[in-house]
Amino acid sequence: MKKVLITGASGLLGRAILKEFSNNASWEVLGLAFSRSGNNLKKVDLTDETAIKDTLNTFKPDVVVHSAAERRPDIVQNKPGETKKLNVGATEVIAKLCGELNTFLVYISTDYVFDGTKPPYKPMDQPNPLNAYGQSKLDGEKVVLQCNPSAVVLRVPILYGQIEFLSESAVTILFNAVKDSSKPGSMCHYQQRFPTHTQDVAAVIKQLAEKQSKDSSIKGTYHWSNNEQLTKFTMAVKMAEIFNLPHDHLQANQNAPPGAPRPKNAQLDTSDLEALGIGQRTPFQEGIKEALSPYL
């Protein structure tokens, strides 16, 4: 039986990865969490180097999926020191340990490493992050591949899926404004997004892990993304239409969003993974209906 360790296992993506591997009897799974530990998750502070080393050396995983990160762009912009400790410092420690243990590492990164001016982006295109979050994830990518050249960096876009609360995803939080037709809801119609279901990303990660165990040439940087191009405004309108809710109160805002600067269109080219026979895509209409149904 193979062993997989997942960091950030209580988070939106981490839970989906945990579920994907746990549903397969050939994997023994250990999920790590910190602020939301419990539910069979091991509480580990990833900024505590000794704790990480002890955990990896005891469990001896075949695969580590490092999905833990501070990913809220405005928080990252305002707390650079704390962000660097988690997004870069902990990542470097994990990458080195995985190299020493001959463990396959998958590091989750973001489309925000690009500036959004020349989409679609191939994995080897030149990154140019516009905000501190994108920069911190790019710095994480660099330490991963420097410390552990046989690792995989997997960049993904805006995510949604089985949520614990509406504000857990930048996609599902829009449903609050959709449901409240008593006041106008201004929605970004500037940024082009490719909302991707966490269960699809989790399936891609498991496919990568299984393929890499037979083919060590699988390493370096890859992209995964859904291929439906939407803005937050068009996502919100789709949500309203799915649940037969009024949407006259929703207003398309053509201006760039306030706060940390964000790329206009950082569409990811996924052809490298597709060429390996890896991939899964849930249509947005189907995925968002399932995610939001409990919150009607």
Side-chain angles (χ1 to χ4, degrees), residues 108-114 133-134 137 141 154-157 268:
I108 305 299
S109 191
T110 173
D111 58 347
Y112 272 36
V113 300
F114 297 113
Y133 168 62
K137 293 300 287 183
E141 290 185 12
L154 180 65
R155 295 181 183 136
V156 295
L268 300 173

Side-chain angles (χ1 to χ4, degrees), residues 6 14-24 29 162 199:
I6 300 152
R15 293 195 306 273
I17 301 167
L18 193 75
K19 186 177 174 184
E20 181 72 22
F21 280 98
S22 299
N23 285 345
N24 188 313
V29 184
Q162 199 170 5
Q199 70 189 15

Side-chain angles (χ1 to χ4, degrees), residues 105-174:
L105 171 63
V106 180
Y107 170 72
I108 305 299
S109 191
T110 173
D111 58 347
Y112 272 36
V113 300
F114 297 113
D115 61 17
T117 58
K118 295 178 185 169
Y121 290 94
K122 291 183 177 292
M124 291 301 107
D125 285 344
Q126 184 65 39
N128 183 32
L130 296 180
N131 61 40
Y133 168 62
Q135 186 63 54
S136 77
K137 293 300 287 183
L138 180 61
D139 291 345
E141 290 185 12
K142 287 175 179 173
V143 297
V144 163
L145 295 175
Q146 280 163 5
C147 299
N148 189 341
S150 51
V152 158
V153 167
L154 180 65
R155 295 181 183 136
V156 295
I158 190 170
L159 300 177
Y160 73 98
Q162 199 170 5
I163 48 172
E164 290 186 340
F165 42 92
L166 280 175
S167 60
E168 192 175 22
S169 157
V171 176
T172 54
I173 194 174
L174 304 175

Side-chain angles (χ1 to χ4, degrees), residues 271-288:
S271 54
D272 287 3
L273 281 182
E274 287 164 20
L276 291 169
I278 290 174
Q280 176 178 301
R281 286 190 174 101
T282 301
F284 182 72
Q285 180 129 347
E286 178 188 315
I288 202 67

Side-chain angles (χ1 to χ4, degrees), residues 119-291:
Y121 290 94
K122 291 183 177 292
M124 291 301 107
D125 285 344
Q126 184 65 39
N128 183 32
L130 296 180
N131 61 40
Y133 168 62
Q135 186 63 54
S136 77
K137 293 300 287 183
L138 180 61
D139 291 345
E141 290 185 12
K142 287 175 179 173
V143 297
V144 163
L145 295 175
Q146 280 163 5
C147 299
N148 189 341
S150 51
V152 158
V153 167
L154 180 65
R155 295 181 183 136
V156 295
I158 190 170
L159 300 177
Y160 73 98
Q162 199 170 5
I163 48 172
E164 290 186 340
F165 42 92
L166 280 175
S167 60
E168 192 175 22
S169 157
V171 176
T172 54
I173 194 174
L174 304 175
F175 200 45
N176 284 324
V178 172
K179 288 192 295 180
D180 184 2
S181 57
S182 68
K183 60 178 185 284
S186 177
M187 296 278 169
C188 178
H189 198 46
Y190 168 85
Q191 248 190 312
Q192 304 301 307
R193 310 305 293 268
F194 296 82
T196 298
H197 204 299
T198 51
Q199 70 189 15
D200 295 341
V201 177
V204 163
I205 291 166
K206 184 156 76 68
Q207 291 167 27
L208 263 170
E210 288 169 345
K211 210 169 256 295
Q212 191 275 342
S213 67
K214 303 181 187 78
D215 179 2
S216 60
S217 73
I218 291 176
K219 57 187 172 185
T221 306
Y222 293 93
H223 290 167
W224 191 251
S225 170
N226 204 346
N227 47 14
E228 294 173 71
Q229 183 170 329
L230 300 165
T231 64
K232 287 188 173 180
F233 171 72
T234 53
M235 286 184 227
V237 170
K238 273 184 180 284
M239 291 172 191
E241 288 172 350
I242 288 165
F243 295 106
N244 295 315
L245 297 172
H247 53 79
D248 297 350
H249 65 295
L250 300 177
Q251 299 172 347
N253 184 343
Q254 306 283 356
N255 300 317
R262 289 148 163 88
K264 184 171 186 181
N265 183 353
Q267 181 181 8
L268 300 173
D269 181 313
T270 60
S271 54
D272 287 3
L273 281 182
E274 287 164 20
L276 291 169
I278 290 174
Q280 176 178 301
R281 286 190 174 101
T282 301
F284 182 72
Q285 180 129 347
E286 178 188 315
I288 202 67
K289 184 177 184 181
E290 183 188 7

